[in-house]
Amino acid sequence: MQTFILLWLVGFSLLLQTTVLTYLRVAGVRPDLLLILVAFIGFWRGPREGGLWGVVAGLLCDLVAGGFVGLNALTKLLAGYLAGQAGVFFYRESSLTCALVTGTVTLVAELATYLLLLFLGIWLPLKNTLLYLILPVTAYNTVAAVVLFYPWQRLLSRRLRAR
Amino acid sequence: MPGRWRQVKKGLAAFLLLSLALALLRLTAPREGQSIIPFSSWVWDGAAPVGAGLNLGAEKMAEGMAFLFSGGRENATVRELRARVAELEAEVARLREQAAENTRLKALLDYKETHPGPSLVAEVVGRNPNNWFGTLTINRGKVDGVTPDAVVVAPAGLVGRVWRVSAHTSEVLLITDPRSAVGAVVYETQVPGIVRGMLAPGEMRMDYVVKDEPVKQGMLVLTSSLSGIFPPGIPVGKVVRVEEGEGGLFRTIYLKPVVDLNRVQEVLVLLKK
């Protein structure tokens, strides 16, 4: 049952990300809902599940995007795993902590994406990429995590919280 | 010792998996003109109506919010008039470019009339889930006659070109994507250059612009006749700033697209003759 709920959430987030989220662009970027979801799962359910759901969500995202299969899978695996490690050390019921963890793993995942694109031969100027993409997405995901923390906690904590 | 051996095994497994993932990443890097992988094609074709519905709902919601936050100033009439102004500006630019082109060509006695080819209207049904790439999905594909490299425009100007196609949908590479390059010319001075996509919010850069002629903020940039893919005279963007650089023959100019690529809902695909 839990798996189905999480799969549904991943699918729904992906659908929103490819359609309506473009209307919520701030400074040219939109929040990465899938990354936030993976960070939440990792933070609440541990590094193993965080990593696993990171791969699932990322792979689905890559397959829907139709190319670079593994790009999102790898970066979201990293994000989910790191959020899971943070969940072991930090207090999980605080929205601020959860948001800061989400922001930090977003930053790491986006930097990893930059490196993977370099590996693929796509060179982007680091300063511009940091200023106009990586940092805005990090900030946006951090704020969005605060907003999404309460619905996540209230609606799903009983079903999805790690025992 | 067994604990250490277990760690080594774990490390080796992780290394192997990472190598496999990187190899897969390289193998599946999308190449221009190739067909979309079957899974994506199936998802795109199946999800197109849902995407279109969600987009329409989001557009209406965004319009409602804009109306509320602007105290009623941002309404349907204003939006309609704004769109009309953009359309007419594009038309004026296109006609001026055509007139200038006519003069040049007639002077050379090498006149070649360019007929507008067949085209079809398409609806945007989805966008790339990543912030890193600027692509969108339209609800027209192979069965409608869309082929890779077909030019995609909106009433105000250039949107991009078809990158990959599936049976009923196509992926459009936006002019703001870092992989995009468009041969262009500054309308007022006829200075040529290459417009490349950037990650900066809604900006593009035009490289290899010679320093001979002045380029100022607000000047219009159109596709040039040197571009192998795009027909000449389509508005691409407006100059927002000029970077002179130290020494050298060239400068870089930064452009804002004339089309709001984040909001564009309907586009025109210029089919190849």
Side-chain angles (χ1 to χ4, degrees), chain B residues 209-229:
Chain B
V209 180
V210 288
K211 287 183 173 176
D212 297 355
E213 297 282 344
V215 178
K216 288 176 190 162
Q217 194 180 340
M219 282 183 167
L220 186 66
V221 172
L222 310 173
T223 51
S224 77
S225 52
L226 295 174
S227 172
I229 295 172

Side-chain angles (χ1 to χ4, degrees), chain B residues 194 198 204-211 215 239 241-245 249-255:
Chain B
I194 295 171
M198 277 176 67
M204 299 168 292
R205 56 184 284 172
M206 189 168 169
D207 295 323
Y208 309 115
V209 180
V210 288
K211 287 183 173 176
V215 178
V239 177
R241 63 179 196 279
V242 182
E243 206 175 83
E244 290 296 339
L249 296 168
F250 304 109
R251 71 183 121 195
T252 303
I253 60 180
Y254 292 85
L255 315 171

Side-chain angles (χ1 to χ4, degrees), chain A residues 33-51:
Chain A
L33 260 192
L34 275 180
L35 190 60
I36 296 172
L37 181 65
V38 167
F40 277 19
I41 295 171
F43 191 60
W44 285 65
R45 296 168 68 92
R48 187 171 287 198
E49 282 207 44

